[in-house]
Amino acid sequence: MPTVTVNTTEVRVPEGTTVLQAARAAGINIPTLCNLEGVHAPGACRVCLAEVEGARTLVASCVAPVQEGMKIKTNSKRVRDARRTAVELLLSEHNGDCQTCVRNDDCELQALAQDLGIRSIRYEGERGHKHIDCSTPALVRDSGKCILCRRCVSVCGEVQGVGALFPQDRGFATVVGPAFCSDLGDVVCVQCGQCSAVCPVGAITERDDIEKVWDALNDPTKHVVVQTAPAIRAALGECFDYEPGTVVTGKMVAALRQLGFDAVFDTNFTADLTIMEEGTELLTRLKTALVDKGQVALPMFTSCSPGWINFAECFYPEILPNISTCKSPQQMFGTVAKTWYAKRIGKKPEDIVVVSVMPCTAKKFEAERPEMNDSGVRDVDIVLTTRELGRMIKQAGVDFRSLADEKMDDPLGASTGAADIFANTGGVMEAALRTAYEIVTGRELPFDKLHVAPVQGLEGVKEASVTITGAVPAWSFLEGVTMNVAVAHGLSNARKVIEKTKAGEANYHFVEIMTCPGGCIGGGGQPRLTTDEVRKARIAAIYREDEGRELRKSHDNPVVKAIYEEWLGTPLGHTSHELLHTHYKRRSRV
Amino acid sequence: MGSEKGCCCGCAPEPSEEDLLKRLDEVVAEYRAKPGALIPVLQIAQGMFGYLPESALKRVALGLGKAYSEVAGVVGFYSYFTTVPRGKHLVRVCLGTACYVRGGKAVLDAFKAKLGIDVGQTTPDRMYSLEVARCFGACGLAPAIMVDDDVHHRVKPGRISQILAQYSETKGEQSWQAESPTPTP
């Protein structure tokens, strides 16, 4: 454990600690633009320079390890001048326009220039080549704003194992982008938007669809409904300076009403519906395998996360039969809203506009998939990310913090705690087990507070086993069977689970995959910057929300019960099959 | 590349792209387990195809389990690699420091004028491609150029016609004219 001195503070840190980490441990902030704790420290931006006594040059603190007795200065004239030069050089190339940039007020480069008191730029020269790539429904890239920090490269390549982005060309001509500077739409990109979640500037952002929503709200012939995903309520507050992990469901509902939506509904409702369908699908697959000895693909993988679906279609098409055929809750909602709900309120599906608010950019892509039109028209019309909703509320002049809590509308606003936890890694698995176990045994899942503790937390791959005892007669074939489940978040972890399964090293029955680290609460459309601390705070908030509910199991949702009685019949029935299930297609890997 | 046509001198027809890709697969299989395989595989691929076509690069990416963007990034980084077909002979003019100060730029301009092409381009008859290079390690003999694998020292603009002539009429090689589409008798 070396002891080092940072400015005037002495601090003892573990071996291998970087100068940057040591400074933070001493309560001293060194600014960075490229460093992404635990993921990426390329020493590329040169903003984190620090002075080490006895060293010839300044060191990039994010990559320089500390040594015993090191004396580090973070605020000497030499450091300040160098840091300022680095930022001025970045600004001199940055082909941006702060006043109209979507990242205005949410930009790390802008904030740093402000912190350093930069009032003029001493360097004048060529600016970065500006190419706007709007080839995908989810993301927009602006190469002129890119500062080449390569955070997106690490997140896309290492965290997600996709590798759509990499530095192309060399020197001043360097562009971080797809192969040979092509557009994202021309290469394999799962649209997860993790790149846009870590970009320090406005070089990669979600496609902004706010105007489309305003247009719909201004159209008197349209009945505009909104659905909000489970992960929104634990993050939207951050757009209004609430601490991460503040649940703002009631204010969110009030704000959506003020924006002018005709009905404020909940994707949680169709999360509960998903559990009914997906849980039944799992049990049916098990029955086919164990009783009928038929050919059936196991383990079954969850299907809620559209980035994961894109990933599987491109990289593991051989496991597509293993993926649940259930549409994601977003798409189930669109179909239910434009069929069952439309009929209830006497509207035609074409007169209803379904707007989603999602933590996710891939949901924009999912809503545009050609097959997602089972209601006869596009099932989900417009998808906003959490960040866009935050901006829209500001555009409307709504004072979010002063809003009084309001409740979701009937009928598609009804939900249970099982739906809340769809927001985080392990949640869909836990929700499914709460229902499946009870269907099979007639008893509650035998875990403390109904939580499947082994699949909670931020470990990349988590496993659990549940042994079924006391099965009811209909499911007696499962008596004594130990169900093995796995949960992975972040697509490189998904890859590990798939490889393990393919190699016969694991005998899973059910696998939950969420595209983004931490699950949807860490989605590509969430407020920036999502660190592990933020993930933990949002997840804790979601579990509190779940525990505070009267109903915590999807099959207890009264409207879900009603929808089966009135309309769907049984899970996996004919209507369900037609409207709530989908199919996947093999796509190219390069 | 990849044409089925044999050449008029009776030598064996060039292998088709399909054949080359098959051979590339074998190379990739051989290198797959080796660390740092990407650059040697790309070098071999360029040697086989004469350049790096998209089909070959995608094969390399798939075979080595690399992202296509990374393969493209490496190809774009090194001036040695090219994704456009090169001419029969590659002229590389060194613009490293020593060559630059001893007139490398004038030599480059002379080649541009003589061949009628810019850097990175190939003459319409596919005989010559022109590239800029950074140091062959022949600084004492600057300015230096390379034509294919031959280094030429102390090149002056006035000498370039003479240098090129060696490659236009080398014994056993096809002349400019033979490259142009002449019907077989």
Side-chain angles (χ1 to χ4, degrees):
Chain A
M1 291 268 284
T3 303
V4 299
T5 311
V6 188
N7 300 338
T8 53
T9 312
E10 205 166 87
V11 59
R12 203 152 169 255
V13 290
E15 203 71 50
T17 301
T18 62
V19 170
L20 175 68
Q21 289 162 335
R24 285 183 181 165
I28 292 160
N29 184 43
I30 298 178
T32 60
L33 281 176
C34 66
N35 179 64
L36 207 54
E37 199 63 44
V39 176
H40 175 76
C45 73
R46 315 313 288 176
V47 165
C48 70
L49 293 172
E51 192 171 352
V52 172
E53 208 175 277
R56 192 171 55 86
T57 58
L58 299 177
V59 300
S61 65
C62 68
V63 286
V66 295
Q67 282 167 8
E68 177 57 41
M70 213 180 225
K71 291 196 166 40
I72 301 157
K73 288 182 196 156
T74 70
N75 189 29
S76 64
K77 176 167 167 48
R78 195 175 165 210
V79 168
R80 280 198 312 273
D81 286 351
R83 191 173 285 158
R84 193 190 164 98
T85 300
V87 175
E88 279 185 52
L89 284 168
L90 286 171
L91 287 169
S92 74
E93 273 185 37
H94 183 63
N95 198 347
D97 193 347
C98 285
Q99 299 97 316
T100 52
C101 180
V102 69
R103 293 296 297 270
N104 190 8
D105 211 20
D106 175 32
C107 171
E108 293 180 42
L109 180 62
Q110 188 191 53
L112 185 55
Q114 175 69 358
D115 286 352
L116 298 183
I118 294 174
R119 293 286 169 267
S120 63
I121 300 163
R122 288 169 289 172
Y123 309 102
E124 236 177 83
E126 213 179 320
R127 296 201 172 247
H129 172 67
K130 198 173 192 70
H131 168 68
I132 311 255
D133 169 8
C134 45
S135 59
T136 68
L139 298 161
V140 177
R141 292 171 50 243
D142 180 345
S143 62
K145 290 177 183 168
C146 177
I147 59 167
L148 307 178
C149 73
R150 293 156 169 80
R151 280 186 190 173
C152 57
V153 176
S154 290
V155 164
C156 187
E158 286 157 39
V159 177
Q160 299 297 58
V162 173
L165 303 169
F166 201 83
Q168 306 293 318
D169 226 316
R170 187 168 53 160
F172 189 80
T174 305
V175 170
V176 172
F180 300 111
C181 304
S182 50
D183 283 347
L184 270 183
D186 301 326
V187 301
V188 172
C189 162
V190 301
Q191 317 268 309
C192 70
Q194 283 297 310
C195 51
S196 72
V198 298
C199 182
V201 293
I204 311 184
T205 57
E206 66 282 2
R207 186 183 74 185
D208 191 311
D209 289 316
I210 295 174
E211 282 307 313
K212 289 183 199 158
V213 180
W214 285 127
D215 288 347
L217 291 170
N218 284 337
D219 184 343
T221 66
K222 300 291 186 196
H223 180 79
V224 188
V225 305
V226 63
Q227 56 164 326
T228 53
I232 307 301
R233 55 213 72 184
L236 179 65
E238 292 164 41
C239 299
F240 304 96
D241 299 328
Y242 284 95
E243 282 297 308
T246 310
V247 176
V248 293
T249 318
K251 288 184 193 299
M252 174 184 76
V253 173
L256 290 166
R257 275 209 189 96
Q258 291 211 10
L259 294 181
F261 286 101
D262 295 300
V264 179
F265 291 142
D266 209 340
T267 315
N268 284 22
F269 170 74
T270 35
D272 280 333
L273 192 59
T274 299
I275 287 298
M276 299 306 292
E277 293 290 327
E278 197 164 281
T280 310
E281 184 183 355
L282 173 66
L283 292 173
T284 307
R285 285 190 191 216
L286 289 173
K287 183 163 184 284
T288 309
L290 294 171
V291 180
D292 311 334
K293 306 289 179 200
Q295 278 296 316
V296 66
L298 282 170
M300 188 174 90
F301 288 78
T302 56
S303 57
C304 311
S305 184
W308 150 239
I309 298 298
N310 293 343
F311 182 80
E313 287 183 326
C314 294
F315 293 95
Y316 289 100
E318 66 275 19
I319 66 149
L320 294 178
N322 293 64
I323 299 180
S324 164
T325 58
C326 287
K327 284 182 182 174
S328 73
Q330 160 174 281
Q331 294 305 133
M332 280 199 191
F333 183 94
T335 316
V336 170
K338 291 196 179 182
T339 52
W340 183 71
Y341 171 72
K343 208 167 161 200
R344 262 173 83 111
I345 61 164
K347 297 252 181 211
K348 292 191 209 129
E350 52 268 38
D351 292 332
I352 295 180
V353 175
V354 172
V355 176
S356 302
V357 185
M358 295 285 141
C360 178
T361 52
K363 290 282 175 193
K364 290 177 187 265
F365 176 88
E366 183 187 46
E368 290 190 15
R369 289 178 76 113
E371 66 274 20
M372 292 297 176
N373 60 355
D374 289 328
S375 63
V377 292
R378 194 109 296 264
D379 293 334
V380 172
D381 298 279
I382 311 165
V383 180
L384 298 182
T385 58
T386 314
R387 295 193 291 263
E388 287 166 276
L389 177 60
R391 297 202 295 271
M392 201 175 168
I393 292 170
K394 286 177 186 166
Q395 284 177 20
V398 173
D399 180 4
F400 190 83
R401 292 181 71 105
S402 70
L403 291 171
D405 286 356
E406 292 183 20
K407 288 210 165 348
M408 300 267 183
D409 287 310
D410 285 331
L412 303 181
S415 67
T416 72
D420 286 319
I421 59 175
F422 263 61
N424 51 266
T425 172
V428 172
M429 178 58 70
E430 183 171 315
L433 289 179
R434 286 182 192 175
T435 289
Y437 191 89
E438 201 159 317
I439 290 176
V440 172
T441 66
R443 287 175 288 114
E444 261 195 358
L445 188 65
F447 286 110
D448 183 36
K449 294 186 193 162
L450 292 178
H451 292 318
V452 186
V455 298
Q456 294 184 325
L458 289 180
E459 189 74 28
V461 178
K462 297 165 283 185
E463 297 174 335
S465 295
V466 183
T467 303
I468 294 166
T469 51
V472 298
W475 299 99
S476 57
F477 66 92
L478 286 173
E479 181 66 30
V481 168
T482 299
M483 289 263 291
N484 301 317
V485 303
V487 170
H489 57 120
L491 292 172
S492 59
N493 290 321
R495 203 182 271 273
K496 285 181 201 160
V497 170
I498 297 167
E499 293 293 346
K500 208 170 157 185
T501 308
K502 279 171 64 182
E505 290 163 16
N507 181 25
Y508 301 128
H509 298 97
F510 191 28
V511 180
E512 175 205 289
I513 307 278
M514 291 193 188
T515 303
C516 294
C520 311
I521 52 94
Q526 292 282 59
R528 302 178 182 95
L529 183 72
T530 303
T531 60
D532 271 355
E533 290 312 304
V534 173
R535 287 186 185 94
K536 283 177 196 158
R538 290 179 189 158
I539 291 173
I542 292 287
Y543 279 119
R544 280 199 304 278
E545 187 86 340
D546 163 41
E547 285 169 14
R549 293 268 206 157
E550 198 180 322
L551 302 175
R552 295 183 59 212
K553 294 171 287 188
S554 295
H555 53 276
D556 289 340
N557 183 323
V559 182
V560 167
K561 285 184 193 167
I563 214 169
Y564 278 110
E565 274 165 30
E566 280 178 33
W567 181 54
L568 290 172
T570 55
L572 296 192
H574 180 70
T575 313
S576 288
H577 181 76
E578 296 286 311
L579 298 180
L580 305 182
H581 290 255
T582 186
H583 55 274
Y584 311 110
K585 63 167 191 280
R586 177 183 284 265
R587 291 193 274 155
S588 165
R589 219 194 84 182
V590 287
Chain B
M1 272 301 142
S3 106
E4 299 298 321
K5 265 186 299 176
C7 93
C8 59
C9 72
C11 66
E14 287 190 6
S16 69
E17 181 170 305
E18 218 25 59
D19 292 336
L20 288 171
L21 287 173
K22 248 181 235 157
R23 273 163 53 191
L24 178 62
D25 285 343
E26 289 164 20
V27 172
V28 168
E30 189 191 325
Y31 274 84
R32 189 174 291 141
K34 298 181 183 169
L38 180 57
I39 288 175
V41 168
L42 289 173
Q43 282 175 309
I44 295 168
Q46 183 157 305
M48 286 162 56
F49 290 82
Y51 71 112
L52 292 168
E54 187 180 312
S55 55
L57 292 174
K58 289 192 167 170
R59 246 359 202 257
V60 170
L62 284 171
L64 294 180
K66 295 264 178 211
Y68 184 48
S69 66
E70 182 180 347
V71 173
V74 169
V75 169
F77 187 86
Y78 294 103
S79 59
Y80 174 82
F81 293 125
T82 177
T83 54
V84 288
R86 274 183 176 157
K88 193 170 173 62
H89 301 291
L90 173 63
V91 179
R92 296 161 75 208
V93 179
C94 181
L95 288 185
T97 311
C99 290
Y100 189 89
V101 298
R102 290 185 60 90
K105 188 76 178 4
V107 172
L108 178 65
D109 289 340
F111 273 109
K112 282 187 191 171
K114 174 77 184 168
L115 297 173
I117 53 173
D118 212 336
V119 172
Q121 292 180 339
T122 298
T123 53
D125 61 7
R126 301 278 293 273
M127 271 302 276
Y128 293 103
S129 295
L130 184 61
E131 298 283 351
V132 162
R134 306 281 171 195
C135 198
F136 309 128
C139 309
L141 302 164
I145 69 158
M146 278 182 85
V147 182
D148 302 333
D149 292 331
D150 310 329
V151 181
H152 297 263
H153 309 136
R154 295 201 173 122
V155 179
K156 292 192 169 64
R159 261 183 66 206
I160 65 165
S161 298
Q162 192 194 329
I163 292 171
L164 287 176
Q166 299 171 30
Y167 296 91
S168 304
E169 295 150 22
T170 318
K171 56 200 173 327
E173 281 193 2
Q174 298 159 266
S175 70
W176 292 61
Q177 283 66 33
E179 270 288 283
S180 57
T182 319
T184 350

